[in-house]
Amino acid sequence: MNEYKILFTGTMGAGKTTAIGSVSEAAPIVTDVANTDLSLGKERTTVGLDFGLLTLASGDRIRLFGTPGQQRFDFLWKILAKSAIGLIILVDNSRSDPLADLVVYLDGFAEDLSVLPCAIGIGRLDTHPVPTLEDYIDILANRNQLVPIMSVDVRRREDVVLLIDTLLAQLEANTFGA
Amino acid sequence: MKIKKGKLAAFFGFKSQNQEESTEQKSLPVTDKPIDFGEDIHTEQPAVIDSAIADSKATEPVAINSENLLEPSTEIEEKTVEVEEKATVADPLEVEATNTEFKMATPEPTMDYEHEEEHLIVNYSKEQLAVSEEKLEEFMRVCPGAYGVLISTVDGHELLYLVKRDIPVHKISTMNSSLLALGESIARESSQKLCQFVILENSDGRVVSLRINDILMLTCISSKDTNLGMLLSVGRNTAGDLMKILS
Ligand SMILES: Nc1nc2c(ncn2[C@@H]2O[C@H](COP(=O)(O)OP(=O)(O)O)[C@@H](O)[C@H]2O)c(=O)[nH]1
Ligand SMILES: [Mg+2]
């Protein structure tokens, strides 16, 4: 049995805390406090970390960590990324410039992404169809980053599990390729 | 000794030009409790949520503190307090209280997220901030080893602070918000009740963080010249006073 650490990141409100809560077996650890940023219309925000646990059919255990979204917490991004085997970036397509949001995390985790697999989940595409998945793929292609990207609703367990599976599949591919 | 002060103009809901100012710090005996504005402020000066209301308040003269310690200025207002230290000082507190000169310091280099500060929910009146600042000054006087005291939001924005050393207040505010939230959740997971303090014990000093209320927290930074018991008790009293002022 192995234990892996996966890190969820992305803008505030993209659904990191919700995603971890959707799949965690035990009650997730949440460090949300009152949000005082009016520009980010949300009552509570994560300032520490999210933590949840998930056991796979193989018996492997996944430790799920979530970061705060705001860039001022990037000191925690570095700390939380340590020993992670993969990164999941969540994007909220209802924000004003979600493509730019994605770039913030691609840049913020550039060092980790040079060695770690990644999967990207775009939320609220049903109500906010633009930009499209193709627009995101273009951005990634221009940066020479081949990262699987999919539409997700983090409130649905299957969607979050699919993101995690996609991440793990890359790990297996890497292991077999080596 | 230099004391740097700062606050975000965003909390007033207005901005104005940089201003030079010179004023004397009020001599306030440590033992003598200042007038408690807590009640008055609670009933007459509720936290201003609407920036339009804050704007109208901004034009009113400062009623409580005639020294105008809290003149509006640029986005981040900072003042430097120069204190001449004498060779033989019987009571350092007295010197600090009398030989004081306020100067505008250049604002700290702004960080990327600076723009966010304009949208903060917390918006207190000048009076509330003036009285709060007095509490911070009192904290510094009572704890001789203290060299930083910060009021910030629980999600990491500094509101009002006094620092005697060059410490990055943005970072300290943000990091301590994480630390306090983690401390509180560790207490919960350990099935312990209210987290009262998060204490960082370092070889040459301590950093203590505690809540003021639902949205504000206090961070106290001190050398070991103030013992832990003193730091905790003065910190708790200051947070209690601030809770009343900034309700
Ligand atoms: N309507 C809708 N709400 C969503 C969707 N995805 C996430 N949410 C909601 O968006 C919020 C995300 O908050 P949270 O998980 O705290 O975000 P975090 O800041 O990334 O941790 C939650 O209230 C979710 O229920 C979606 O696809 N549609
Ligand atoms: Mg969160």
Side-chain angles (χ1 to χ4, degrees), chain A residues 7 46-49 67-68 72-82 109, chain B residues 174-175 178-179 182:
Chain A
L7 185 62
T46 307
V47 295
L49 52 80
T67 69
R72 67 177 183 280
F73 288 101
D74 61 359
F75 71 97
L76 270 178
W77 298 359
K78 306 273 176 301
I79 294 172
L80 290 170
K82 272 184 199 147
F109 286 93
Chain B
T174 313
M175 294 178 130
S178 300
L179 200 59
L182 282 171

Side-chain angles (χ1 to χ4, degrees), chain A residues 11-18 32 42 46 124 152-155:
Chain A
T11 40
M12 178 178 162
K16 304 171 293 292
T17 303
T18 306
D32 285 15
K42 197 160 174 272
T46 307
R124 302 175 200 246
V152 292
D153 182 337
V154 290
R155 298 168 299 176

